[in-house]
Amino acid sequence: MKILAIETSCDETAVAILEVKGGAKAPKFKVLSHALHSQVKIHEQYGGVFPGLAKREHQINLVPLFLKAIKVNPKSESRNPKQTSNIKIKKIEKVLERETELLTRFPALYGKKRPKIDRIAVTTGPGLEPALWVGINFARALSILWDIPVAPVNHMRGHFLAPLAEGKKIEFPALGLLISGGHTELAVAKSPMSYKLLGATRDDAAGEAYDKVARILGLPYPGGPQIAALAEKSRKLKVESRKEFILPRPMIHTKEVEFSFSGLKTAVLYMVQKVESRKLKVEREIIAMEFEESVKDVLVAKTKIALQKTSVKTLIIGGGVSANTYIKSALLKLAKEYGVEFLASSKKLATDNAIMIGVAGYYAKTRPLGMIKAEGNLPL
Ligand code: KG4
Ligand code: ZN
């Protein structure tokens, strides 16, 4: 089976083509192509993702990325719209004018025979709805143009199942710690199709906390890698922390599988203000190290509770923050203590991408086009 996957839920536009062999019991995923465009440079000035801009950027970049993924060179083929099939254009016009406009800008698509694709997997949530609709409308238009069914995909399931794209096997039931810019969740999957949420963050997500703390420290967006680098430097140099830099570990002593990172960010803000008011130097390296230590401690404590509450065979970590080597190694250690398999993706697959959407799309059901809708708060 060949899957065309489309991701536009946040600030990454991505298209992938996956080939799946081996049947439903033991599928093997092969990435045939992956084209990704990150909008980080554009959102940098806002210190976070600005939805209207994200939508515009997805609209600009989706079709060129798609052509790259299906290996059509728009310049090498006819650009004369008259040579394209009117019937097909009419059909698409019915779906959406904007998408028609996008597609007619690339007449190469019409000349092209229907590619050998069995389904289109598109992220329908959670995420920014204006951004999600860009991918959804495009998937719908392609579905009509080429008569290919569409499977709506939950972005968080994509993060959960991402290790499958790198040849790893998941032994179920599996506990997933999903730590991204928009979400922080612990969930158990009985199978790739069945999930139960154990708990989530009450306010900010872990990645969001990284981004906000980075902003307080005057570091560019996205803050995760920036803070991680500073913290790593301090640990390497064995920089001693001091009393005035100790940060709270929000909710660490509660029994609930729940997180709260908003207070941690505020604690950093007050700390910086206090240091500045005394005309002292803001020691960013120490703050970054302390902040990362706090996030790590809380993530480990809550994952530990979840492991005690469940009897899983595997611990999977996914989402942008799972690219953090310090946090990753702390969770690997925890998995070893509990005798469960540990799975994490490479950096490329930990942050947003279309490959993981293709993997989750393999397990998702195809639906009538009218049912493929953006759901900003889609639960796992
Ligand atoms: O999963 P993702 O790419 O997008 C969402 O679905 O939100 O996650 C992005 C988040 C950002 O907040 C970014 O700062 C964070 O992941 N991130 C990191 C690291 N790399 C990315 N956080 C900590 N350490 C990293 N190395
Ligand atoms: Zn994500």
Side-chain angles (χ1 to χ4, degrees):
M1 177 194 270
K2 269 192 194 154
I3 302 175
L4 167 71
I6 300 169
E7 157 65 34
T8 64
S9 70
C10 192
D11 59 348
E12 248 93 46
T13 320
V15 180
I17 296 175
L18 267 63
E19 188 173 41
V20 195
K21 283 187 178 161
K25 282 249 163 72
K28 282 203 174 72
F29 297 88
K30 188 175 166 196
V31 181
L32 300 181
S33 64
H34 186 221
L36 181 140
H37 178 264
S38 172
Q39 304 173 2
V40 289
K41 280 275 160 292
I42 286 157
H43 298 292
E44 206 172 2
Q45 55 187 308
Y46 302 97
V49 183
F50 193 69
L53 260 185
K55 177 187 165 187
R56 189 196 73 187
E57 287 300 304
H58 287 307
Q59 282 173 332
I60 293 170
N61 296 307
L62 184 53
V63 175
L65 285 171
F66 166 69
L67 294 175
K68 205 167 142 191
I70 65 164
K71 301 189 169 72
V72 172
N73 179 0
K75 291 203 180 101
S76 72
E77 297 197 28
S78 159
R79 291 197 131 234
N80 181 359
K82 279 194 185 137
Q83 286 179 10
T84 64
S85 153
N86 275 324
I87 302 157
K88 281 186 174 157
I89 292 177
K90 280 260 151 58
K91 262 190 175 175
I92 298 167
E93 267 170 356
K94 274 197 197 148
V95 186
L96 262 173
E97 272 175 34
R98 195 180 56 232
E99 262 50 48
T100 313
E101 202 241 302
L102 275 178
L103 286 168
T104 48
R105 282 204 342 245
F106 295 93
L109 285 180
Y110 297 105
K112 198 95 185 151
K113 268 208 253 138
R114 178 189 185 282
K116 286 203 178 71
I117 287 167
D118 303 284
R119 67 164 61 182
I120 300 167
V122 65
T123 307
T124 54
L128 306 166
E129 289 198 3
L132 288 163
W133 275 115
V134 178
I136 293 168
N137 286 332
F138 186 63
R140 285 177 172 192
L142 277 184
S143 168
I144 292 175
L145 176 67
W146 283 332
D147 194 23
I148 302 172
V150 180
V153 175
N154 184 310
H155 180 89
M156 299 315 285
R157 292 191 183 191
H159 278 307
F160 202 117
L161 300 172
L164 292 175
E166 291 177 321
K168 291 161 187 153
K169 259 198 83 186
I170 303 176
E171 294 288 343
F172 290 95
L175 175 68
L177 172 67
L178 307 176
I179 33 182
S180 68
H183 295 83
T184 297
E185 298 175 335
L186 272 159
V188 176
K190 270 198 291 189
S191 77
M193 276 91 81
S194 163
Y195 298 80
K196 186 171 172 259
L197 185 69
L198 299 178
T201 180
R202 290 185 172 180
D203 38 60
D204 292 354
E208 193 177 356
Y210 266 94
D211 296 336
K212 286 179 174 169
V213 166
R215 204 171 180 201
I216 296 168
L217 297 180
L219 298 165
Y221 174 85
Q226 304 281 337
I227 301 238
L230 275 187
E232 182 63 30
K233 196 171 133 197
S234 306
R235 286 190 296 266
K236 262 207 185 117
L237 297 173
K238 300 208 163 42
V239 174
E240 294 254 338
S241 186
R242 293 198 298 275
K243 224 178 44 233
E244 66 262 37
F245 291 111
I246 303 270
L247 285 165
R249 267 73 174 152
M251 296 188 77
I252 200 160
H253 296 302
T254 67
K255 291 259 178 305
E256 287 102 46
V257 180
E258 253 190 324
F259 305 90
S260 167
F261 289 107
S262 157
L264 180 57
K265 158 211 71 190
T266 313
V268 172
L269 180 67
Y270 289 162
M271 179 188 282
V272 169
Q273 285 172 347
K274 205 164 152 190
V275 171
E276 279 174 342
S277 72
R278 289 192 201 148
K279 306 234 168 345
L280 297 171
K281 185 175 165 263
V282 176
E283 303 205 39
R284 299 200 297 195
E285 286 82 0
I286 300 184
I287 299 175
M289 178 174 76
E290 281 293 330
F291 167 77
E292 191 157 278
E293 203 63 33
S294 167
V295 175
K296 183 261 298 173
D297 285 348
V298 174
L299 292 176
V300 168
K302 296 300 175 182
T303 308
K304 196 171 185 171
I305 297 175
L307 283 169
Q308 287 161 354
K309 277 191 172 174
T310 52
S311 51
V312 294
K313 292 185 178 155
T314 312
L315 170 64
I316 303 177
I317 61 166
V321 182
S322 76
N324 186 295
T325 44
Y326 189 62
I327 289 175
K328 202 192 294 188
S329 59
L331 290 159
L332 167 67
K333 198 170 145 235
L334 180 72
K336 277 192 181 147
E337 269 172 40
Y338 279 78
V340 300
E341 279 292 317
F342 179 78
L343 290 179
S345 299
S346 65
K347 254 193 186 127
K348 187 181 130 197
L349 279 176
T351 51
D352 287 353
N353 63 83
I355 295 170
M356 68 181 198
I357 301 306
V359 173
Y362 172 73
Y363 295 102
K365 284 199 175 79
T366 58
R367 301 271 182 209
L369 291 191
M371 283 175 73
I372 320 270
K373 289 185 181 140
E375 278 184 79
N377 297 316
L378 184 69
L380 192 72

